[in-house]
Amino acid sequence: MCDTVFYRGVKSLLEGWTVLQLAVQHGFGGPHSDEKASWLVGAIEQWFQENNNIEPYEVEDFLADILDHEFDTIADDGSLPQISKSICEYFTLCKEGKENEVLSKIQQTPKPQLSSCQKAQHDSDEEITNSIEEVNQQNTLARLDAMDLNTQVNGEPSQNSNETKNSTETNDMEQDDGWTVVKPRKKR
């Protein structure tokens, strides 16, 4: 049966895809990562059977969305177009009755070498925490500098503060665009 061979072909490709297998192995899809990967094989098979002429770029977009939304992963190793093209090729071969070619390709599909993959270099949690605290401290100092701290220790506004208030009122009256702001009269 063509769908059985196609299903096996898709399953073989996805099981040999390092990006997906790393995401599954590390649980990026949550506690049900294995089930999501299994579901993906069936979803691809069903999608191909329900639609005609699916192009590799469509498969690529679909897989990228699944990786992003279900596994919180982005494939930036260039493998996504290759996997998508192979899936389309397998479907075409099955549709043409060339299941033996697909079966041959399944046997040639390499298994992922997850042990040779390296973890991305990230800062340690302590370094990240220290960096965040430093940024927060800098932001607090910047806010304090920006505030009008022209009051004296006894709480009375300084002369400089009154001058700033008067110049602000004058600036509010005439703005750069030529409009004049009219302040309401005070009640008598």
Side-chain angles (χ1 to χ4, degrees):
M1 251 179 136
C2 183
D3 6 274
T4 310
V5 173
F6 179 63
Y7 181 90
R8 288 172 42 194
V10 171
K11 183 176 179 182
S12 173
L13 286 170
L14 296 184
E15 286 177 350
W17 190 18
T18 305
V19 172
L20 179 61
Q21 293 310 310
L22 277 173
V24 170
Q25 181 183 20
H26 292 289
F28 293 168
H32 304 289
S33 292
D34 288 328
E35 291 86 358
K36 287 180 181 182
S38 297
W39 163 83
L40 182 56
V41 176
I44 291 172
E45 179 189 34
Q46 181 179 357
W47 185 37
F48 270 87
Q49 290 186 3
E50 291 176 357
N51 297 284
N52 292 326
N53 303 323
I54 296 175
E55 296 292 326
Y57 75 88
E58 294 172 305
V59 178
E60 187 176 338
D61 289 345
F62 174 73
L63 290 174
D65 284 345
I66 295 297
L67 283 177
D68 185 28
H69 293 100
E70 298 297 328
F71 294 97
D72 198 22
T73 301
I74 296 174
D76 62 356
D77 64 345
S79 62
L80 197 52
Q82 294 169 345
I83 293 291
S84 302
K85 182 180 175 189
S86 295
I87 291 172
C88 291
E89 180 184 355
Y90 283 11
F91 184 74
T92 302
L93 289 172
C94 286
K95 194 174 176 182
E96 294 172 352
K98 299 178 182 175
E99 291 92 359
N100 288 335
E101 281 186 52
V102 175
L103 291 171
S104 172
K105 289 180 185 263
I106 289 172
Q107 291 183 355
Q108 296 171 1
T109 303
K111 298 297 174 201
Q113 300 298 322
L114 302 181
S115 61
S116 64
C117 294
Q118 295 180 355
K119 185 176 180 182
Q121 297 297 324
H122 293 290
D123 294 333
S124 70
D125 289 341
E126 185 178 323
E127 289 173 342
I128 292 171
T129 302
N130 289 342
S131 177
I132 290 171
E133 288 174 359
E134 185 179 319
V135 168
N136 286 341
Q137 199 172 35
Q138 290 172 352
N139 287 341
T140 301
L141 290 174
R143 281 191 219 114
L144 288 174
D145 287 344
M147 292 174 65
D148 184 21
L149 298 176
N150 292 325
T151 54
Q152 295 178 351
V153 179
N154 64 3
E156 295 177 15
S158 67
Q159 217 174 11
N160 196 12
S161 177
N162 287 335
E163 290 172 8
T164 305
K165 185 178 176 185
N166 289 339
S167 69
T168 304
E169 287 176 5
T170 305
N171 288 342
D172 286 346
M173 296 298 258
E174 293 182 22
Q175 295 180 358
D176 292 338
D177 57 4
W179 290 91
T180 303
V181 177
V182 179
K183 300 275 185 179
R185 283 196 244 174
K186 294 182 183 177
K187 293 185 179 179
R188 296 181 199 187

